[in-house]
């Protein structure tokens, strides 16, 4: 079946630095990818919708200048957390849609970000 | 906007018994998809079962089945012969049939299977 690869799985960084997370669709083209954030014992919260070749659409309350999303190809979307702070520590998950009849959503394995 | 409600934050069940997780949703759409996802401690999201709203027949996948009541906007998950490996968070989710729309998740139900 279709696979979405997400890297890194875990990252620890110092406050003020930037971190890039990659999400790749391995055997299908994903015109749309989604980025979620999940705090401990909570549900997945949509951060933004990433469309190939255009600007991402951010959910209300998500700072677009802090969470930079790039979707330059049909198989790769990246999320960059700029000037990370401890409150940005969270689990970030991407998903990609294989649009069409019987469309399905596939999830990456997630990235645990810890900002010290 | 669509909303998904899971009213049971936590549930437990004895091994080999049956348990039902509840989910209700609200939408004005007539065509949509409903899902149950499992999230074990590894936090990988695993699709358990999927239902298309236009299909009247309830979806089943081995020990997992749903009771889809479209008029009541209800979508419960039944797990039969519960196994220790079923211990996880379970999320009910809604999606409209377009490649540009994300899943809308409920808050989740933490299921513990007890030996």
């Amino acid at each position: 079946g279709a696979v979405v690869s997400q890297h890194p799985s875990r990252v620890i960084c110092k406050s003020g630095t930037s971190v890039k997370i990659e999400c790749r669709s391995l055997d299908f083209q994903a015109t749309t990818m989604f980025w979620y954030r999940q705090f401990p014992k909570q549900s997945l919260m949509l951060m933004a919708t990433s469309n190939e070749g255009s600007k991402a659409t951010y959910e209300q309350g998500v700072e677009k200048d802090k969470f930079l999303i790039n979707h330059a190809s049909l198989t790769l979307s990246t999320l960059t957390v700029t000037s990370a702070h401890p409150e940005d520590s969270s689990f970030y998950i991407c998903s990609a849609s294989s649009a069409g009849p019987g469309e399905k959503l596939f999830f990456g394995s997630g990235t645990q970000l810890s900002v010290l | 906007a669509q909303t998904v409600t899971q009213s049971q934050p936590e549930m437990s069940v004895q091994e080999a018994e049956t348990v039902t997780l509840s989910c209700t949703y609200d939408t004005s759409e007539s065509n949509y998809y409903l899902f149950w996802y499992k999230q074990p401690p590894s936090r990988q999201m695993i699709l358990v079962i999927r239902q298309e709203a236009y299909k009247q027949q309830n979806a089943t996948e081995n020990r997992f089945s749903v009771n889809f009541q479209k008029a009541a906007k209800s979508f419960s998950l039944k797990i039969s012969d519960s196994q220790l490996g079923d211990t996880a968070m379970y999320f009910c989710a809604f999606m409209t049939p377009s490649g540009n729309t994300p899943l809308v998740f409920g808050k989740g139900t933490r299921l513990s299977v007890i030996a």
Side-chain angles (χ1 to χ4, degrees):
Chain A
V3 176
V4 173
S5 175
Q6 184 174 344
H7 292 283
S9 59
R10 184 178 298 271
V11 58
I12 301 172
C13 69
K14 293 182 178 180
S15 184
T17 60
S18 295
V19 173
K20 180 184 285 187
I21 302 169
E22 292 189 349
C23 181
R24 293 181 184 272
S25 56
L26 296 184
D27 56 0
F28 67 99
Q29 292 184 335
T31 55
T32 304
M33 292 186 176
F34 306 100
W35 288 95
Y36 294 86
R37 179 167 53 184
Q38 185 179 30
F39 291 109
K41 298 186 178 181
Q42 293 188 20
S43 187
L44 282 71
M45 292 176 53
L46 180 68
M47 298 176 66
T49 299
S50 170
N51 296 295
E52 187 268 337
S54 64
K55 291 183 178 180
T57 303
Y58 291 82
E59 295 299 298
Q60 190 174 7
V62 177
E63 300 175 58
K64 62 180 180 181
D65 294 332
K66 182 171 188 60
F67 298 99
L68 300 179
I69 291 173
N70 184 282
H71 194 162
S73 76
L74 286 172
T75 59
L76 175 64
S77 177
T78 61
L79 168 67
T80 301
V81 183
T82 62
S83 186
H85 291 285
E87 57 266 30
D88 299 324
S89 298
S90 185
F91 190 63
Y92 294 86
I93 309 176
C94 70
S95 70
S97 170
S98 66
E103 62 180 286
K104 296 181 180 179
L105 272 174
F106 303 95
F107 284 89
S109 54
T111 298
Q112 177 62 51
L113 171 63
S114 299
V115 184
L116 304 179
Chain B
Q2 290 82 15
T3 59
V4 177
T5 302
Q6 293 179 250
S7 58
Q8 305 152 314
E10 296 186 12
M11 295 189 71
S12 62
V13 63
Q14 291 290 132
E15 195 175 9
E17 297 295 308
T18 295
V19 65
T20 298
L21 279 57
S22 301
C23 173
T24 58
Y25 59 95
D26 190 24
T27 184
S28 58
E29 302 285 340
S30 59
N31 191 25
Y32 46 87
Y33 299 122
L34 294 164
F35 305 83
W36 279 97
Y37 279 91
K38 170 185 178 181
Q39 189 180 41
S42 68
R43 292 189 288 187
Q44 174 70 55
M45 295 294 286
I46 301 169
L47 178 63
V48 175
I49 202 163
R50 158 193 162 111
Q51 174 85 42
E52 287 93 345
Y54 63 85
K55 291 186 178 179
Q56 292 186 342
Q57 186 174 7
N58 289 324
T60 63
E61 286 288 341
N62 301 314
R63 298 183 295 108
F64 300 88
S65 61
V66 297
N67 184 1
F68 174 46
Q69 301 290 329
K70 191 172 184 179
K73 295 180 181 176
S74 171
F75 183 62
S76 61
L77 174 69
K78 185 172 79 171
I79 305 174
S80 304
D81 185 25
S82 297
Q83 301 176 0
L84 296 177
D86 295 334
T87 294
M89 281 290 291
Y90 287 82
F91 294 101
C92 180
F94 173 102
M95 187 178 77
T96 53
S98 163
N100 296 323
T101 60
L103 285 168
V104 177
F105 288 94
K107 290 188 175 182
T109 297
R110 182 172 300 279
L111 177 67
S112 298
V113 180
I114 303 166

